[in-house]
Amino acid sequence: MLSHSIFFESHKSSYHPNPTRTTPPMPVSHQIAVLGGGISGLSAAYYLSQNVPATTKIVLFEGSKRVGGWIESKRVGTCGPEKGKPGNEGVLFELGPRSLRPKGAGGVVALDLIRNLSLTDSLLTVPATAPSARNRYIYYHDKINVLPSSGPSLLLSRPPIMRGVISSAISEAFRKPKDYATDPDGDESVYAFAERRFGAHVARNLVGSLVHGIYAGDARELSLRSTLRALYDNERVYGSVVRGVVKGGVEIETFREKGVMWRSRREDTDFFSAMENMSVIGFREGMEALPRRLREVLETIENVEVRTEEEVTFVKMGQEGEDIKVETEKGAIHASHVISALPAPTLHKLLSASNQPLPHLNHNPYVDVAVVNLAYDNPKLVPYDGFGFLTPLTTDDHPPANKTTPPGTLGVVFDSNAMPGQEPAGQYTKLTVMLGGHQWDEAFDGTPIGAVVPDEVLWRAMDVVKATLGVESPPLYALTNLHANCIPQYRVGHHTRLRELHAALQSPVYKHRLSVVGNSYLGVSVPDCIKNARALVEELVAAGGLSEEKARCVTGLNRVEVEGGEEGIGGEAGPGELKDSVRVKKGQLGVVMNG
């Protein structure tokens, strides 16, 4: 993981991270190794610590000095004798994810983890009625276009980007759906689907912008089924996205996930009711508060060891039934089970080195993104009270949507609005500029990320805010980060490849010994990663996957079986079966609700 950071401020300042500690090794015979200390690995280790016997040793390996992966928060401008005192807290910059959406199964599981970690007092919340939740923008035709936030605003206010969208939506409701009977997988690119259902304008400018915001990716390359699943399911079930939305849409949670949601909510109904009505949540000291607390908790548990600055260099599966040998730069351990939370290409290298590769781990590319945080001492610098703006997709067969935007601009987040409360009110304007992604070559003239000069990135970011927001003054503080290979791009056919990987993990070489989790597989958001880590551990424990009597092979990808029609929705079931699958039978409901 390459992430280069450079900090700039108008006045002298410095940032010193707190030192970390690790617990001394505890000799035990039965060990589980967790590879990777990002949010997926930390969550997996935490849920293991809550579910396995105290005699089972859990060892988490992380190659860098810190844990949290791409979740990183830095507070700058807090030096001197007044450091940390009211009015001199400095500015908090988020280098990666900046908030959580408390919606769906992932949101509920993330909230449950936050509550269990006693982090609720440090939460910041943005209600759905807040301007930053309601006001979203796309930079189109060299102007900020305000997206409608309600039915009346859609009818009464039509910025240039919304012209023709209503007629496209009406037409979509009557457009013939794809024949999934002849194409059971039915996957296609996000762009191809949007163009087929709504037309090129919507595909390029609305959906293309959305994909820039989530994946920093090209909508023409990404899998519809694996990225914007609700669109895929609504066409399969109702024959139309619009008709599906009108009828309430298709629930994508499996029966097991519904049970987890119910069990979590019943512990503190008031808390979950309040939080699930929020648009986004964050933390006063930034998103990194979550992985920091996870590490603190893990290091207090006697049978858990967190090893930072210890990169895994080799994984040897050995013969069927043998322990797995995990080698690092500092030694080796033998584990009865390994949970890999590493990026799929990294796991591919480790397994290929031992001539035991798995299929498709190296298939999906990852994009590089430059993130530039800017803070100004004028709290009213930006005349927009919203979340921020994204930019449309540029295609070769159509003139670009903007002429003045610097190439490779993905979007700008208005952080002062998006997550207020991290600094004293009315003191700063904070912006985050995102550059590159699938447009990296356009943004930096073909220069690879390792050769890009951070100062040049800062100047390009300042050009972006000047061209789009009219901001010409220099920032008080600025922080530039170059994130190499940070977001996986789920290419078309991703679901089918996952099913083949799931089958390979059940082969004699890997069966009952290796499981995978992380953003390479079943979702890139922080809540997705937490949810999938919890599901993996609970399935391993329930199936006896960590004991001598193993009943069912748990790979971490078992959901692809569920999405094949066993429960929930999706997969190869027909539209009628999909509708029926939404109706939960009383007997099944009782089982999942009670665990």
Side-chain angles (χ1 to χ4, degrees):
M1 180 178 76
L2 170 65
S3 180
H4 183 91
S5 174
I6 184 169
F7 170 58
F8 156 85
E9 61 174 317
S10 297
H11 307 286
K12 186 177 180 181
S13 179
S14 61
Y15 173 77
H16 302 288
N18 292 325
T20 58
R21 67 176 180 85
T22 57
T23 55
M26 180 177 63
V28 292
S29 57
H30 184 56
Q31 296 193 108
I32 301 171
V34 179
L35 314 185
I39 191 62
S40 296
L42 288 167
S43 299
Y46 172 78
Y47 289 120
L48 283 169
S49 74
Q50 304 301 300
N51 286 278
V52 302
T55 54
T56 299
K57 181 68 176 289
I58 303 160
V59 184
L60 183 147
F61 294 100
E62 166 56 42
S64 65
K65 293 181 179 180
R66 51 177 294 277
V67 296
W70 299 113
I71 302 175
E72 187 172 4
S73 312
K74 288 187 177 181
R75 195 171 282 282
V76 301
T78 57
C79 64
E82 300 299 310
K83 177 179 178 179
K85 293 184 178 180
N88 192 44
E89 290 87 351
V91 178
L92 186 94
F93 285 148
E94 296 283 15
L95 283 59
R98 62 203 61 249
S99 59
L100 303 172
R101 290 198 173 277
K103 309 295 183 185
V108 171
V109 170
L111 287 170
D112 189 52
L113 177 63
I114 290 167
R115 194 178 64 86
N116 290 335
L117 294 173
S118 301
L119 280 172
T120 54
D121 288 344
S122 62
L123 276 177
L124 295 174
T125 60
V126 178
T129 55
S132 64
R134 299 179 61 204
N135 299 332
R136 304 297 174 105
Y137 311 115
I138 293 178
Y139 198 74
Y140 177 74
H141 283 183
D142 297 305
K143 293 182 180 179
I144 296 286
N145 285 237
V146 184
L147 297 178
S149 58
S150 64
S153 65
L154 177 63
L155 296 174
L156 298 175
S157 177
R158 297 190 195 176
I161 197 167
M162 295 302 295
R163 289 172 187 164
V165 172
I166 293 179
S167 60
S168 293
I170 293 172
S171 298
E172 193 276 340
F174 300 97
R175 194 159 283 141
K176 184 179 179 180
K178 188 173 186 176
D179 185 1
Y180 288 96
T182 59
D183 184 9
D185 180 63
D187 200 12
E188 59 189 308
S189 76
V190 172
Y191 185 92
F193 175 88
E195 184 179 41
R196 176 169 61 80
R197 301 299 306 173
F198 295 95
H201 173 78
V202 170
R204 199 168 43 244
N205 299 305
L206 294 178
V207 177
S209 296
L210 176 65
V211 171
H212 276 173
I214 301 173
Y215 294 93
D218 187 339
R220 296 169 296 182
E221 301 289 339
L222 298 190
S223 159
L224 175 74
R225 183 174 186 175
S226 296
T227 58
L228 300 180
R229 178 66 186 266
L231 302 181
Y232 172 87
D233 284 331
N234 273 303
E235 185 187 34
R236 290 199 67 179
V237 175
Y238 298 106
S240 159
V241 174
V242 171
R243 291 205 302 271
V245 170
V246 169
K247 294 181 179 182
V250 177
E251 295 183 16
I252 61 174
E253 282 83 16
T254 66
F255 292 142
R256 181 181 292 277
E257 288 174 342
K258 290 176 183 176
V260 170
M261 293 167 71
W262 187 86
R263 294 196 302 273
S264 297
R265 287 170 175 151
R266 72 179 177 181
E267 296 294 328
D268 192 339
T269 55
D270 291 341
F271 170 72
F272 281 95
S273 296
M275 291 299 106
E276 288 183 76
N277 285 326
M278 297 299 159
S279 173
V280 294
I281 60 174
F283 300 91
R284 287 191 182 88
E285 289 305 314
M287 284 290 295
E288 197 172 356
L290 181 55
R292 282 196 196 114
R293 178 60 62 85
L294 275 168
R295 178 175 182 170
E296 290 171 2
V297 170
L298 288 171
E299 291 181 337
T300 67
I301 301 173
E302 191 174 355
N303 63 320
V304 178
E305 185 176 355
V306 178
R307 299 187 186 181
T308 55
E309 297 185 85
E310 190 164 353
E311 183 176 355
V312 175
T313 57
F314 190 77
V315 175
K316 178 67 174 178
M317 300 303 298
Q319 299 299 315
E320 182 179 358
E322 293 181 354
D323 281 355
I324 302 171
K325 184 179 183 181
V326 178
E327 292 187 7
T328 74
E329 300 167 316
K330 299 179 180 180
I333 71 165
H334 287 82
S336 58
H337 197 94
V338 168
I339 294 176
S340 173
L342 299 169
T346 304
L347 180 60
H348 172 77
K349 291 178 182 178
L350 293 175
L351 295 176
S352 295
S354 61
N355 295 316
Q356 296 172 308
L358 283 165
H360 308 311
L361 291 175
N362 214 26
H363 183 90
N364 289 328
Y366 283 59
V367 293
D368 305 328
V369 178
V371 176
V372 182
N373 305 97
L374 306 169
Y376 301 83
D377 55 6
N378 178 358
K380 298 182 179 180
L381 190 65
V382 176
Y384 300 100
D385 193 9
F387 185 87
F389 71 79
L390 298 169
T391 61
L393 174 68
T394 299
T395 59
D396 294 335
D397 60 350
H398 193 274
N402 300 299
K403 296 180 180 178
T404 61
T405 312
T409 302
L410 296 168
V412 177
V413 179
F414 306 161
D415 293 294
S416 310
N417 300 335
M419 189 54 65
Q422 294 172 332
E423 298 85 21
Q427 193 165 349
Y428 303 103
T429 291
K430 290 196 303 182
L431 305 172
T432 298
V433 181
M434 297 164 291
L435 301 163
H438 76 100
Q439 305 174 118
W440 183 270
D441 288 344
E442 290 84 352
F444 300 105
D445 305 317
T447 306
I449 190 168
V452 169
V453 179
D455 282 343
E456 179 184 347
V457 180
L458 172 59
W459 286 109
R460 290 188 184 232
M462 293 171 65
D463 286 343
V464 170
V465 298
K466 179 180 179 180
T468 58
L469 301 172
V471 176
E472 298 188 13
S473 57
L476 180 65
Y477 306 114
L479 188 65
T480 299
N481 282 271
L482 304 177
H483 297 314
N485 299 319
C486 60
I487 306 177
Q489 305 293 290
Y490 297 165
R491 291 284 179 87
V492 175
H494 180 68
H495 183 83
T496 298
R497 290 188 294 275
L498 286 185
R499 297 189 75 171
E500 293 171 359
L501 175 58
H502 173 60
L505 284 165
Q506 297 176 76
S507 66
V509 175
Y510 297 101
K511 190 173 184 179
H512 299 305
R513 295 190 295 159
L514 176 64
S515 305
V516 296
V517 73
N519 70 359
S520 295
Y521 309 103
L522 293 169
V524 301
S525 74
V526 173
D528 281 338
C529 291
I530 297 171
K531 177 193 73 173
N532 292 331
R534 174 171 170 172
L536 167 60
V537 171
E538 290 184 348
E539 287 183 40
L540 279 170
V541 173
L546 302 176
S547 66
E548 296 300 325
E549 297 180 4
K550 299 174 174 64
R552 178 174 179 241
C553 183
V554 178
T555 68
L557 305 177
N558 295 72
R559 184 186 172 103
V560 299
E561 289 180 347
V562 173
E563 292 179 350
E566 293 180 18
E567 58 174 326
I569 59 92
E572 278 54 70
E577 294 172 273
L578 292 176
K579 290 181 182 178
D580 291 339
S581 70
V582 178
R583 306 186 184 104
V584 183
K585 295 180 180 178
K586 181 180 287 187
Q588 293 171 307
L589 187 61
V591 171
V592 296
M593 293 308 183
N594 294 307

Coordinates of all heavy atoms in Angstrom, one line a residue, residues 237-290:
V237 N -36.8 -7.9 -11.1 CA -38.1 -8.3 -10.4 C -39.3 -7.6 -11.0 O -40.3 -8.2 -11.2 CB -37.9 -7.9 -8.9 CG1 -39.3 -8.1 -8.1 CG2 -36.8 -8.7 -8.2
Y238 N -39.1 -6.3 -11.3 CA -40.3 -5.5 -11.7 C -40.2 -5.1 -13.2 O -41.2 -4.5 -13.7 CB -40.4 -4.2 -10.9 CG -40.6 -4.5 -9.4 CD1 -39.6 -4.3 -8.5 CD2 -41.9 -5.0 -8.9 CE1 -39.8 -4.6 -7.1 CE2 -42.1 -5.2 -7.6 CZ -41.0 -5.0 -6.7 OH -41.3 -5.3 -5.4
G239 N -39.1 -5.4 -13.9 CA -39.0 -5.1 -15.3 C -38.7 -3.6 -15.5 O -38.5 -3.2 -16.7
S240 N -38.5 -2.9 -14.4 CA -38.2 -1.4 -14.6 C -37.7 -0.9 -13.3 O -38.2 -1.3 -12.2 CB -39.5 -0.7 -15.0 OG -39.4 0.7 -14.7
V241 N -36.7 0.0 -13.3 CA -36.2 0.6 -12.1 C -37.2 1.5 -11.5 O -37.5 1.5 -10.3 CB -34.9 1.5 -12.5 CG1 -34.4 2.2 -11.2 CG2 -33.8 0.6 -13.0
V242 N -37.9 2.3 -12.4 CA -38.9 3.3 -11.9 C -40.1 2.6 -11.2 O -40.5 2.9 -10.1 CB -39.4 4.2 -13.0 CG1 -40.6 5.1 -12.6 CG2 -38.2 5.1 -13.5
R243 N -40.6 1.5 -11.9 CA -41.7 0.7 -11.3 C -41.3 0.1 -10.0 O -42.1 0.0 -9.1 CB -42.2 -0.3 -12.3 CG -42.9 0.3 -13.5 CD -43.9 -0.7 -14.2 NE -43.2 -2.0 -14.5 CZ -42.7 -2.2 -15.7 NH1 -42.7 -1.3 -16.7 NH2 -42.2 -3.4 -16.0
G244 N -40.0 -0.4 -10.0 CA -39.5 -1.0 -8.7 C -39.5 0.0 -7.6 O -39.9 -0.3 -6.5
V245 N -39.0 1.2 -7.9 CA -38.9 2.3 -6.8 C -40.4 2.6 -6.3 O -40.6 2.8 -5.1 CB -38.2 3.5 -7.4 CG1 -38.4 4.7 -6.4 CG2 -36.7 3.2 -7.6
V246 N -41.3 2.8 -7.3 CA -42.7 3.1 -6.9 C -43.3 2.0 -6.0 O -44.0 2.3 -5.1 CB -43.5 3.3 -8.2 CG1 -45.0 3.4 -7.8 CG2 -43.1 4.5 -8.9
K247 N -42.9 0.8 -6.2 CA -43.5 -0.3 -5.5 C -42.6 -0.6 -4.2 O -42.9 -1.6 -3.5 CB -43.6 -1.6 -6.3 CG -44.6 -1.4 -7.5 CD -44.7 -2.7 -8.3 CE -45.7 -2.5 -9.4 NZ -45.9 -3.7 -10.2
G248 N -41.7 0.2 -3.9 CA -40.9 0.0 -2.7 C -39.6 -0.6 -2.9 O -38.8 -0.8 -1.9
G249 N -39.2 -1.0 -4.1 CA -37.9 -1.6 -4.3 C -37.8 -3.0 -3.9 O -38.7 -3.6 -3.3
V250 N -36.6 -3.6 -4.1 CA -36.3 -5.0 -3.7 C -35.3 -4.9 -2.5 O -34.3 -4.3 -2.6 CB -35.7 -5.7 -4.9 CG1 -35.3 -7.2 -4.4 CG2 -36.7 -5.8 -6.0
E251 N -35.7 -5.6 -1.4 CA -34.8 -5.7 -0.3 C -33.6 -6.6 -0.7 O -33.8 -7.7 -1.2 CB -35.5 -6.3 0.9 CG -36.6 -5.4 1.4 CD -37.2 -6.0 2.7 OE1 -36.6 -6.9 3.3 OE2 -38.3 -5.6 3.0
I252 N -32.4 -6.1 -0.4 CA -31.2 -6.9 -0.7 C -30.6 -7.6 0.5 O -29.7 -8.4 0.3 CB -30.1 -6.0 -1.4 CG1 -29.7 -4.9 -0.4 CG2 -30.6 -5.4 -2.7 CD1 -28.5 -4.1 -0.9
E253 N -31.1 -7.4 1.7 CA -30.6 -8.1 2.8 C -31.1 -9.6 2.8 O -32.2 -9.9 2.5 CB -31.1 -7.4 4.1 CG -30.4 -6.2 4.5 CD -30.9 -5.0 3.8 OE1 -32.0 -5.0 3.3 OE2 -30.2 -3.9 3.8
T254 N -30.2 -10.5 3.2 CA -30.5 -11.9 3.3 C -31.3 -12.1 4.6 O -31.3 -11.2 5.5 CB -29.3 -12.7 3.3 OG1 -28.5 -12.4 4.5 CG2 -28.4 -12.5 2.1
F255 N -31.9 -13.2 4.8 CA -32.5 -13.6 6.1 C -31.6 -13.4 7.2 O -31.9 -12.9 8.3 CB -33.1 -15.0 6.0 CG -34.3 -15.1 5.1 CD1 -34.4 -16.3 4.3 CD2 -35.2 -14.1 4.9 CE1 -35.5 -16.4 3.5 CE2 -36.3 -14.3 4.0 CZ -36.4 -15.4 3.3
R256 N -30.4 -13.9 7.1 CA -29.4 -13.8 8.1 C -29.1 -12.4 8.5 O -29.0 -12.0 9.7 CB -28.1 -14.6 7.7 CG -27.0 -14.5 8.8 CD -25.7 -15.2 8.3 NE -25.9 -16.6 8.2 CZ -25.9 -17.5 9.1 NH1 -25.6 -17.1 10.4 NH2 -26.1 -18.8 8.9
E257 N -28.9 -11.5 7.5 CA -28.7 -10.1 7.8 C -29.9 -9.5 8.5 O -29.7 -8.6 9.4 CB -28.4 -9.4 6.5 CG -27.0 -9.8 5.9 CD -26.7 -9.2 4.6 OE1 -27.7 -8.7 3.9 OE2 -25.5 -9.1 4.2
K258 N -31.1 -9.8 8.1 CA -32.2 -9.3 8.8 C -32.2 -9.7 10.3 O -32.6 -8.9 11.2 CB -33.5 -9.8 8.1 CG -33.7 -9.2 6.8 CD -35.0 -9.7 6.1 CE -35.2 -9.2 4.7 NZ -36.3 -9.8 4.0
G259 N -31.8 -10.9 10.5 CA -31.7 -11.4 11.9 C -30.7 -10.6 12.7 O -30.9 -10.2 13.9
V260 N -29.5 -10.4 12.1 CA -28.5 -9.6 12.7 C -29.0 -8.2 13.0 O -28.7 -7.6 14.1 CB -27.2 -9.5 11.9 CG1 -26.2 -8.5 12.4 CG2 -26.5 -10.9 11.8
M261 N -29.7 -7.6 12.1 CA -30.2 -6.2 12.3 C -31.2 -6.2 13.5 O -31.1 -5.3 14.3 CB -30.9 -5.7 11.0 CG -29.9 -5.5 9.9 SD -30.8 -5.3 8.3 CE -31.5 -3.7 8.5
W262 N -32.0 -7.2 13.5 CA -33.0 -7.3 14.6 C -32.4 -7.4 16.0 O -32.7 -6.8 16.9 CB -34.0 -8.4 14.3 CG -35.2 -8.4 15.3 CD1 -36.3 -7.7 15.2 CD2 -35.3 -9.2 16.5 NE1 -37.2 -8.0 16.3 CE2 -36.5 -8.9 17.1 CE3 -34.4 -10.1 17.1 CZ2 -36.9 -9.5 18.3 CZ3 -34.8 -10.7 18.3 CH2 -36.1 -10.3 18.9
R263 N -31.4 -8.3 16.0 CA -30.7 -8.6 17.3 C -30.0 -7.4 17.8 O -29.9 -7.1 19.0 CB -29.8 -9.8 17.2 CG -30.6 -11.1 16.9 CD -29.7 -12.3 17.2 NE -28.5 -12.3 16.4 CZ -28.4 -12.9 15.2 NH1 -29.4 -13.4 14.6 NH2 -27.2 -12.9 14.6
S264 N -29.4 -6.7 16.8 CA -28.6 -5.5 17.2 C -29.6 -4.4 17.7 O -29.3 -3.8 18.8 CB -27.8 -4.9 16.0 OG -26.9 -5.9 15.6
R265 N -30.6 -4.1 17.0 CA -31.6 -3.1 17.4 C -32.2 -3.3 18.7 O -32.5 -2.3 19.5 CB -32.6 -2.9 16.3 CG -32.1 -2.3 15.0 CD -33.2 -2.4 13.9 NE -32.8 -1.8 12.7 CZ -33.2 -2.2 11.5 NH1 -34.0 -3.2 11.4 NH2 -32.9 -1.5 10.4
R266 N -32.5 -4.6 19.1 CA -33.3 -4.8 20.3 C -32.4 -4.5 21.5 O -33.0 -4.3 22.6 CB -33.7 -6.3 20.3 CG -32.7 -7.3 20.6 CD -33.2 -8.7 20.6 NE -32.2 -9.7 20.7 CZ -32.4 -11.0 20.8 NH1 -33.6 -11.5 20.7 NH2 -31.4 -11.8 20.9
E267 N -31.1 -4.4 21.4 CA -30.3 -4.1 22.5 C -30.4 -2.6 23.0 O -30.2 -2.3 24.2 CB -28.8 -4.4 22.2 CG -28.5 -5.8 21.9 CD -28.7 -6.7 23.1 OE1 -28.4 -6.2 24.2 OE2 -29.1 -7.9 23.0
D268 N -30.7 -1.7 22.0 CA -30.8 -0.3 22.3 C -31.7 0.3 21.3 O -31.2 1.0 20.4 CB -29.4 0.3 22.4 CG -29.4 1.7 23.0 OD1 -30.5 2.3 23.0 OD2 -28.4 2.2 23.5
T269 N -33.0 0.2 21.4 CA -33.9 0.6 20.3 C -33.8 2.1 20.1 O -33.9 2.6 19.0 CB -35.3 0.2 20.6 OG1 -35.7 0.6 21.9 CG2 -35.4 -1.4 20.6
D270 N -33.7 2.9 21.2 CA -33.7 4.3 21.1 C -32.5 4.8 20.3 O -32.6 5.7 19.4 CB -33.7 5.0 22.5 CG -35.0 4.8 23.2 OD1 -36.0 4.5 22.5 OD2 -35.0 4.9 24.4
F271 N -31.3 4.2 20.6 CA -30.1 4.6 19.9 C -30.2 4.3 18.4 O -29.9 5.2 17.6 CB -28.9 3.9 20.5 CG -27.6 4.0 19.7 CD1 -26.9 5.2 19.7 CD2 -27.1 2.9 19.0 CE1 -25.7 5.3 18.9 CE2 -26.0 3.0 18.2 CZ -25.3 4.2 18.2
F272 N -30.6 3.1 18.1 CA -30.7 2.7 16.6 C -31.8 3.5 15.9 O -31.6 3.9 14.8 CB -30.9 1.2 16.5 CG -29.7 0.4 16.7 CD1 -29.4 -0.1 18.0 CD2 -28.8 0.2 15.7 CE1 -28.3 -0.9 18.2 CE2 -27.7 -0.5 15.9 CZ -27.4 -1.1 17.1
S273 N -32.9 3.8 16.6 CA -33.9 4.6 15.9 C -33.4 6.0 15.6 O -33.7 6.5 14.5 CB -35.1 4.7 16.8 OG -35.7 3.4 17.0
A274 N -32.7 6.6 16.5 CA -32.1 7.9 16.3 C -31.1 7.9 15.2 O -31.1 8.8 14.3 CB -31.6 8.5 17.6
M275 N -30.1 7.0 15.3 CA -29.0 6.9 14.3 C -29.4 6.6 12.9 O -28.9 7.1 11.9 CB -28.0 6.0 14.8 CG -27.2 6.4 16.0 SD -26.3 7.9 15.9 CE -27.4 9.0 16.8
E276 N -30.4 5.7 12.8 CA -30.8 5.3 11.4 C -31.6 6.4 10.7 O -31.9 6.2 9.5 CB -31.6 4.0 11.5 CG -30.7 2.8 11.8 CD -31.5 1.5 11.8 OE1 -31.8 0.9 10.7 OE2 -31.8 1.0 12.9
N277 N -32.0 7.4 11.4 CA -32.7 8.5 10.8 C -31.7 9.6 10.3 O -32.1 10.6 9.7 CB -33.7 9.2 11.7 CG -34.9 8.4 11.9 OD1 -35.4 7.7 10.9 ND2 -35.5 8.3 13.1
M278 N -30.4 9.3 10.6 CA -29.4 10.3 10.1 C -28.9 10.0 8.7 O -29.0 8.9 8.2 CB -28.2 10.2 11.1 CG -28.5 10.6 12.5 SD -29.0 12.3 12.6 CE -29.9 12.2 14.2
S279 N -28.5 11.0 8.0 CA -28.0 10.9 6.7 C -26.6 10.2 6.8 O -26.3 9.2 6.1 CB -27.9 12.2 6.0 OG -27.2 12.1 4.7
V280 N -25.7 10.8 7.6 CA -24.4 10.2 7.8 C -24.0 10.5 9.2 O -24.5 11.3 9.9 CB -23.3 10.8 6.8 CG1 -23.6 10.5 5.4 CG2 -23.2 12.4 7.0
I281 N -23.0 9.7 9.7 CA -22.4 9.9 11.0 C -20.9 9.9 10.9 O -20.3 9.4 9.9 CB -22.8 8.8 12.0 CG1 -22.4 7.4 11.5 CG2 -24.3 8.8 12.2 CD1 -22.6 6.3 12.5
G282 N -20.2 10.6 11.8 CA -18.8 10.6 11.9 C -18.3 10.8 13.3 O -19.1 10.5 14.2
F283 N -17.1 11.2 13.5 CA -16.5 11.3 14.8 C -15.8 12.6 15.0 O -15.3 13.2 14.1 CB -15.5 10.2 15.1 CG -16.1 8.8 15.0 CD1 -16.1 8.1 13.8 CD2 -16.7 8.2 16.1 CE1 -16.6 6.8 13.7 CE2 -17.2 6.9 16.0 CZ -17.2 6.2 14.8
R284 N -15.8 13.2 16.2 CA -15.2 14.5 16.5 C -13.7 14.4 16.1 O -13.2 15.4 15.6 CB -15.3 14.8 17.9 CG -16.7 15.3 18.3 CD -16.8 15.9 19.7 NE -18.2 16.2 20.1 CZ -19.0 15.4 20.6 NH1 -18.7 14.2 20.9 NH2 -20.3 15.8 20.9
E285 N -13.1 13.3 16.4 CA -11.6 13.2 16.0 C -11.4 12.4 14.7 O -10.3 11.9 14.5 CB -10.9 12.6 17.2 CG -10.7 13.5 18.4 CD -10.1 14.8 18.1 OE1 -9.1 14.8 17.4 OE2 -10.6 15.9 18.5
G286 N -12.4 12.4 13.9 CA -12.3 11.8 12.6 C -12.6 10.3 12.6 O -12.7 9.6 13.6
M287 N -12.7 9.8 11.4 CA -13.0 8.4 11.2 C -12.0 7.4 11.8 O -12.3 6.3 12.2 CB -13.1 8.1 9.7 CG -14.4 8.6 9.1 SD -15.9 7.6 9.7 CE -15.5 6.0 8.9
E288 N -10.8 7.9 11.9 CA -9.7 7.0 12.5 C -10.0 6.6 14.0 O -9.4 5.7 14.5 CB -8.3 7.6 12.3 CG -7.2 6.6 12.5 CD -5.8 7.2 12.1 OE1 -5.8 8.3 11.7 OE2 -4.9 6.4 12.3
A289 N -10.9 7.4 14.6 CA -11.3 7.0 16.0 C -11.8 5.6 16.0 O -11.6 4.9 17.1 CB -12.4 8.0 16.5
L290 N -12.4 5.1 15.0 CA -12.9 3.7 15.0 C -11.8 2.7 15.0 O -11.8 1.8 15.9 CB -13.9 3.5 13.8 CG -14.6 2.2 13.7 CD1 -15.3 1.8 14.9 CD2 -15.5 2.2 12.5

